[in-house]
Amino acid sequence: MTAAGVRVSSDWLALREPADAAARAQDLVDVLVRRVPRPTRWVIHDLGCGSGSMGRWLAPQLPGPQHWVLHDRDRDLLDLALAHPPAPAADGADVTVEARDCDVSRLDPRDLAGASLITASALLDILTEEELAALIEVCAEPRSPLLLTLSVVGDVELTPADPLDRRVAAAFDAHQPRMTERGRLLGPDAVALAVEELGRLGVEVLVRPSPWRLDGSHADLTAEWFTGWVGAACEQEVELAADTVRYTRRRLAQAAAEQLAVMVGHADLLVSWGSGPTAV
Ligand SMILES: C[S@@+](CC[C@H](N)C(=O)[O-])C[C@H]1O[C@@H](n2cnc3c(N)ncnc32)[C@H](O)[C@@H]1O
């Protein structure tokens, strides 16, 4: 879970990396590889790269030499990303990385000049409407495909169900699009807004579900996610704090016993410039 201006912990990113890799929509990578003429060398800009999980997931799936330009405003995460670069490309070609310490909502088109692909993962929902619009505008210049994965869409399902789930979910949903010093965060509206903004530019946008499906084998991630989920809900609705003490204890015990399953909805977008305006 992230908040505007709040640093994302490297432990949290490490914990979620395998679940993120399993959740991202594989068929969008297949479409990308099939449709995009293979460049002599990919130049891939990953925006809000964190500790670099997108590169570690995608680079080994793309054939051909690649240079990844990793953008984040968190220098410690960038250093981690540099220390753990992606494996070689699908055909064994070299993959190189460089890091840029920057605010991705204030990029200049020159920063992305020559890009053959732009990616972002778990970023759109923590932007404001203005930041998303600015990002789309700057990404439109190189007209390279965009792969924007793991934006939250607001669906959460816990199994077994508990009568308090709905109330916590409603408070969490209300917390997502909260005001920050930068403006209101998009939260689960990010995907619809991105599709709308991109649609106005007359581009093709493929949208795919990419939910986390956490089961007993993800006990640590489930517990960490649940703690953040309830915490955000209680921040939104303070009376919930007292009402969720026993609920939280019960749910964490279920997670520890590998008896709690969670589905967290996300969506992935693949944007191609130059085709007709469609959202599929
Ligand atoms: C939820 S993390 C996702 C990290 C990584 N993409 C992943 O999937 O593991 C969001 C990342 O975006 C970065 N971030 C958020 N807003 C940013 C901004 N305006 N400029 C640069 N980085 C930003 C944060 O520092 C964080 O590393």
Side-chain angles (χ1 to χ4, degrees):
M1 222 142 307
T2 52
V6 174
R7 293 182 73 188
V8 180
S9 98
S10 54
D11 288 347
W12 168 244
L13 293 179
L15 195 55
R16 60 178 287 174
E17 184 164 345
D20 285 350
R24 292 193 188 97
Q26 191 58 49
D27 77 306
L28 292 185
V29 178
D30 301 338
V31 172
L32 183 70
V33 171
R34 247 193 346 264
R35 282 206 202 155
V36 176
R38 191 163 143 187
T40 322
R41 183 179 81 137
W42 294 87
V43 177
I44 304 172
H45 289 255
D46 187 28
L47 309 182
C49 65
S51 56
S53 83
M54 173 57 111
R56 286 188 290 273
W57 174 74
L58 185 59
Q61 301 189 62
L62 299 179
Q66 299 163 40
H67 182 65
W68 283 72
V69 185
L70 307 176
H71 301 249
D72 207 285
R73 63 182 173 199
D74 187 320
R75 188 66 238 182
D76 292 339
L77 292 178
L78 284 172
D79 287 342
L80 262 180
L82 290 175
H84 303 280
D91 56 359
D94 278 351
V95 175
T96 54
V97 285
E98 69 170 269
R100 291 195 192 163
D101 191 342
C102 65
D103 181 341
V104 296
S105 65
R106 291 167 188 264
L107 290 174
D108 183 278
R110 282 170 298 188
D111 296 324
L112 301 177
S116 33
L117 173 66
I118 298 169
T119 62
S121 186
L123 178 73
L124 300 192
D125 48 85
I126 54 168
L127 298 179
T128 65
E129 186 170 348
E130 291 69 31
E131 288 171 342
L132 178 67
L135 197 66
I136 288 176
E137 195 182 324
V138 84
C139 289
E141 291 264 325
R143 299 184 76 77
S144 56
L146 309 179
L147 182 61
L148 308 171
T149 68
L150 297 177
S151 302
V152 295
V153 292
D155 306 338
V156 168
E157 218 174 276
L158 291 90
T159 309
D162 188 293
L164 260 179
D165 292 346
R166 276 172 180 270
R167 198 172 145 209
V168 175
F172 178 80
D173 287 349
H175 183 266
Q176 287 296 89
R178 63 199 172 279
M179 269 316 277
T180 68
E181 72 280 2
R182 293 169 15 236
R184 189 170 291 286
L185 303 187
L186 287 169
D189 296 332
V191 170
L193 198 72
V195 169
E196 192 185 312
E197 295 261 342
L198 288 159
R200 255 190 241 124
L201 299 175
V203 297
E204 181 192 58
V205 186
L206 301 180
V207 185
R208 297 288 183 270
S210 53
W212 274 355
R213 294 192 189 282
L214 310 182
D215 59 19
S217 66
H218 303 91
D220 289 348
L221 177 58
T222 303
E224 195 66 25
W225 168 85
F226 178 82
T227 303
W229 186 64
V230 173
C234 293
E235 218 174 281
Q236 183 67 27
E237 198 186 309
V238 279
E239 316 81 67
L240 257 182
D243 297 349
T244 51
V245 173
R246 284 167 58 198
Y247 168 78
T248 299
R249 213 176 292 139
R250 190 161 64 241
R251 284 313 208 180
L252 290 179
Q254 287 171 337
E258 303 184 358
Q259 284 166 1
L260 181 62
V262 178
M263 188 285 297
V264 181
H266 301 109
D268 291 3
L269 311 182
L270 177 64
V271 181
S272 315
W273 307 85
S275 342
T278 41
V280 188

XYZ file of all heavy atoms in Angstrom, residues 174-217:
337
model
N -13.048 4.487 0.400
C -13.173 5.939 0.606
C -11.809 6.564 0.905
O -11.565 7.736 0.622
C -14.137 6.209 1.757
N -10.902 5.758 1.458
C -9.571 6.265 1.809
C -8.686 6.426 0.569
O -7.826 7.309 0.509
C -8.913 5.279 2.791
C -7.570 5.710 3.295
N -6.392 5.309 2.712
C -7.211 6.513 4.331
C -5.380 5.838 3.369
N -5.844 6.576 4.358
N -8.894 5.588 -0.429
C -7.999 5.572 -1.594
C -7.930 6.925 -2.321
O -6.851 7.416 -2.580
C -8.408 4.465 -2.569
C -8.082 3.074 -2.088
C -6.578 2.867 -1.962
O -5.990 3.134 -0.926
N -5.947 2.414 -3.007
N -9.084 7.502 -2.684
C -8.995 8.786 -3.407
C -8.920 9.968 -2.430
O -9.676 10.919 -2.531
C -10.296 8.812 -4.217
C -11.235 7.914 -3.495
C -10.461 7.019 -2.582
N -7.989 9.903 -1.478
C -7.921 10.927 -0.430
C -7.144 12.146 -0.911
O -6.351 12.081 -1.850
C -7.279 10.348 0.832
C -5.859 9.900 0.639
C -5.428 8.940 1.733
N -4.121 8.351 1.445
C -3.944 7.323 0.627
N -4.972 6.793 -0.013
N -2.731 6.842 0.414
N -7.373 13.245 -0.202
C -6.655 14.479 -0.525
C -5.230 14.385 0.011
O -4.998 13.849 1.098
C -7.342 15.680 0.151
C -8.410 16.364 -0.677
S -7.993 16.659 -2.391
C -7.069 18.168 -2.250
N -4.304 14.890 -0.754
C -2.910 14.990 -0.292
C -2.458 16.405 -0.616
O -3.207 17.164 -1.247
C -1.999 14.007 -1.048
O -1.906 14.453 -2.408
C -2.537 12.590 -1.009
N -1.244 16.714 -0.233
C -0.734 18.055 -0.557
C -0.606 18.242 -2.069
O -0.536 19.364 -2.560
C 0.585 18.339 0.184
C 1.804 17.593 -0.290
C 1.901 16.149 0.240
O 1.001 15.680 0.970
O 2.897 15.488 -0.117
N -0.605 17.128 -2.830
C -0.481 17.227 -4.291
C -1.830 17.226 -4.992
O -1.906 17.356 -6.202
C 0.342 16.045 -4.829
C 1.788 16.075 -4.397
C 2.533 14.761 -4.698
N 1.871 13.881 -5.611
C 1.556 12.612 -5.343
N 1.844 12.086 -4.169
N 0.959 11.875 -6.233
N -2.902 17.012 -4.221
C -4.231 16.914 -4.831
C -4.850 15.581 -4.467
O -4.278 14.813 -3.669
N -6.009 15.275 -5.065
C -6.712 14.038 -4.728
C -6.127 12.870 -5.512
O -5.943 12.963 -6.729
C -8.212 14.196 -5.063
C -9.063 13.056 -4.543
C -10.551 13.350 -4.669
N -11.019 14.400 -3.783
C -11.194 14.288 -2.471
N -10.948 13.139 -1.869
N -11.621 15.300 -1.752
N -5.822 11.789 -4.802
C -5.267 10.610 -5.483
C -6.360 9.902 -6.277
O -7.536 9.932 -5.900
C -4.673 9.632 -4.460
C -3.583 10.186 -3.545
C -2.976 9.061 -2.714
C -2.495 10.878 -4.345
N -5.970 9.259 -7.346
C -6.971 8.624 -8.219
C -7.511 7.325 -7.632
O -8.673 6.975 -7.848
C -6.354 8.349 -9.590
C -6.161 9.609 -10.428
C -5.315 9.301 -11.655
C -7.503 10.179 -10.832
N -6.674 6.565 -6.921
C -7.157 5.292 -6.385
C -7.770 4.448 -7.491
O -7.253 4.394 -8.626
N -8.912 3.810 -7.203
C -9.502 2.885 -8.181
C -10.075 3.563 -9.429
O -10.497 2.870 -10.352
C -10.616 2.184 -7.385
C -10.836 2.999 -6.176
C -9.602 3.800 -5.917
N -10.070 4.914 -9.487
C -10.551 5.595 -10.703
C -9.456 5.720 -11.753
O -9.711 6.170 -12.882
C -11.036 7.017 -10.361
C -12.230 6.980 -9.423
O -12.970 5.974 -9.467
O -12.399 7.933 -8.639
N -8.234 5.335 -11.400
C -7.099 5.597 -12.293
C -7.252 4.927 -13.657
O -6.982 5.541 -14.698
C -5.802 5.134 -11.632
N -7.708 3.680 -13.657
C -7.767 2.944 -14.929
C -8.790 3.576 -15.869
O -8.499 3.841 -17.049
C -8.093 1.453 -14.677
C -8.389 0.720 -15.968
C -6.913 0.796 -13.959
N -9.988 3.843 -15.337
C -11.032 4.432 -16.185
C -10.574 5.777 -16.731
O -10.772 6.088 -17.924
C -12.321 4.589 -15.386
N -9.921 6.551 -15.885
C -9.486 7.874 -16.328
C -8.373 7.768 -17.374
O -8.357 8.505 -18.367
C -9.003 8.675 -15.120
C -8.953 10.163 -15.387
C -10.362 10.733 -15.464
C -8.167 10.869 -14.301
N -7.450 6.836 -17.149
C -6.360 6.660 -18.123
C -6.938 6.230 -19.475
O -6.541 6.746 -20.524
C -5.364 5.625 -17.608
N -7.898 5.300 -19.442
C -8.502 4.828 -20.701
C -9.203 5.999 -21.400
O -9.098 6.174 -22.625
C -9.490 3.660 -20.426
C -10.327 3.348 -21.654
C -8.720 2.421 -19.970
N -9.887 6.832 -20.606
C -10.598 7.984 -21.184
C -9.606 8.975 -21.814
O -9.768 9.393 -22.958
C -11.379 8.661 -20.055
C -12.383 9.690 -20.523
C -13.014 10.373 -19.298
O -13.430 9.663 -18.363
O -13.050 11.610 -19.295
N -8.564 9.308 -21.063
C -7.569 10.282 -21.559
C -6.866 9.757 -22.803
O -6.666 10.471 -23.773
C -6.500 10.550 -20.490
C -7.014 11.215 -19.252
C -6.743 12.717 -19.255
O -5.880 13.141 -20.023
O -7.430 13.433 -18.503
N -6.495 8.476 -22.758
C -5.779 7.880 -23.889
C -6.719 7.764 -25.081
O -6.321 7.963 -26.232
C -5.222 6.506 -23.497
C -4.039 6.566 -22.527
C -3.859 5.249 -21.788
C -2.764 6.929 -23.287
N -7.991 7.443 -24.802
C -8.985 7.329 -25.875
C -9.109 8.631 -26.648
O -9.268 8.646 -27.865
N -9.002 9.748 -25.915
C -9.098 11.064 -26.565
C -7.957 11.284 -27.554
O -8.064 12.073 -28.471
C -9.065 12.162 -25.501
C -10.432 12.755 -25.292
C -10.358 13.991 -24.422
N -11.151 13.734 -23.245
C -10.733 13.807 -21.995
N -9.513 14.180 -21.730
N -11.524 13.536 -20.999
N -6.851 10.592 -27.329
C -5.700 10.741 -28.233
C -5.801 9.807 -29.432
O -4.916 9.782 -30.281
C -4.403 10.453 -27.466
C -4.100 11.363 -26.285
C -2.852 10.895 -25.551
C -3.916 12.798 -26.760
N -6.884 9.000 -29.458
C -7.095 8.125 -30.614
C -6.145 6.939 -30.656
O -5.701 6.539 -31.730
N -5.829 6.397 -29.500
C -4.909 5.258 -29.478
C -5.659 3.992 -29.094
O -6.777 4.047 -28.580
C -3.759 5.485 -28.481
C -2.929 6.670 -28.899
C -4.291 5.670 -27.076
N -5.028 2.861 -29.336
C -5.637 1.597 -28.937
C -5.199 1.268 -27.508
O -4.010 1.310 -27.199
C -5.193 0.476 -29.872
C -5.835 -0.849 -29.485
C -5.202 -2.028 -30.205
O -3.984 -2.230 -30.073
O -5.942 -2.737 -30.889
N -6.176 0.951 -26.671
C -5.868 0.581 -25.286
C -6.443 -0.802 -25.015
O -7.651 -1.001 -25.100
C -6.495 1.574 -24.285
C -6.025 1.245 -22.867
C -6.148 3.010 -24.635
N -5.579 -1.751 -24.734
C -6.044 -3.075 -24.309
C -6.042 -3.105 -22.792
O -5.057 -2.710 -22.164
C -5.126 -4.174 -24.845
C -4.954 -4.266 -26.360
C -4.011 -5.414 -26.716
C -6.287 -4.460 -27.049
N -7.153 -3.540 -22.209
C -7.276 -3.583 -20.746
C -7.482 -5.029 -20.317
O -8.318 -5.731 -20.885
C -8.497 -2.749 -20.277
C -8.548 -2.701 -18.744
C -8.460 -1.347 -20.853
N -6.709 -5.475 -19.350
C -6.840 -6.849 -18.860
C -6.870 -6.858 -17.334
O -6.148 -6.085 -16.699
C -5.635 -7.696 -19.299
C -5.495 -7.861 -20.801
C -6.555 -8.795 -21.388
N -6.357 -8.993 -22.812
C -6.881 -8.249 -23.769
N -7.654 -7.229 -23.473
N -6.650 -8.507 -25.042
N -7.675 -7.762 -16.753
C -7.628 -7.889 -15.286
C -6.305 -8.527 -14.853
O -5.764 -9.377 -15.573
C -8.814 -8.823 -14.982
C -9.094 -9.552 -16.246
C -8.606 -8.704 -17.393
N -5.789 -8.089 -13.727
C -4.521 -8.672 -13.228
C -4.605 -8.768 -11.699
O -3.798 -8.162 -10.984
C -3.337 -7.813 -13.658
O -3.542 -6.462 -13.279
N -5.581 -9.525 -11.214
C -5.773 -9.570 -9.751
C -4.686 -10.361 -9.044
O -4.145 -11.312 -9.594
C -7.129 -10.286 -9.609
C -7.221 -11.159 -10.828
C -6.520 -10.421 -11.936
N -4.388 -9.941 -7.821
C -3.652 -10.815 -6.931
C -4.622 -11.904 -6.490
O -5.765 -11.594 -6.112
C -3.264 -10.081 -5.657
C -2.010 -9.297 -5.664
C -1.071 -9.199 -6.640
C -1.555 -8.482 -4.576
N -0.056 -8.372 -6.235
C -0.328 -7.922 -4.976
C -2.053 -8.164 -3.327
C 0.402 -7.071 -4.156
C -1.343 -7.320 -2.510
C -0.115 -6.776 -2.917
N -4.167 -13.131 -6.487
C -4.954 -14.223 -5.909
C -4.081 -14.867 -4.839
O -3.265 -15.735 -5.127
C -5.348 -15.235 -6.990
C -6.292 -14.638 -8.015
C -6.913 -15.689 -8.910
N -7.633 -15.075 -10.017
C -8.833 -14.527 -9.910
N -9.459 -14.538 -8.757
N -9.419 -13.970 -10.961
N -4.248 -14.364 -3.636
C -3.379 -14.807 -2.538
C -4.051 -15.957 -1.791
O -5.240 -15.880 -1.462
C -3.119 -13.653 -1.567
C -2.648 -12.334 -2.198
C -2.373 -11.295 -1.120
C -1.427 -12.536 -3.070
N -3.269 -17.007 -1.556
C -3.813 -18.137 -0.794
C -2.862 -18.462 0.359
O -1.989 -17.654 0.697
C -4.051 -19.345 -1.719
C -2.754 -19.773 -2.404
O -1.661 -19.405 -1.906
O -2.811 -20.489 -3.428
N -3.021 -19.653 0.913
C -2.215 -20.037 2.069
C -0.714 -19.928 1.811
O 0.069 -19.681 2.732
N -0.300 -20.064 0.558
C 1.135 -20.016 0.268
C 1.675 -18.577 0.298
O 2.874 -18.365 0.144
C 1.410 -20.657 -1.100
O 0.822 -19.890 -2.115
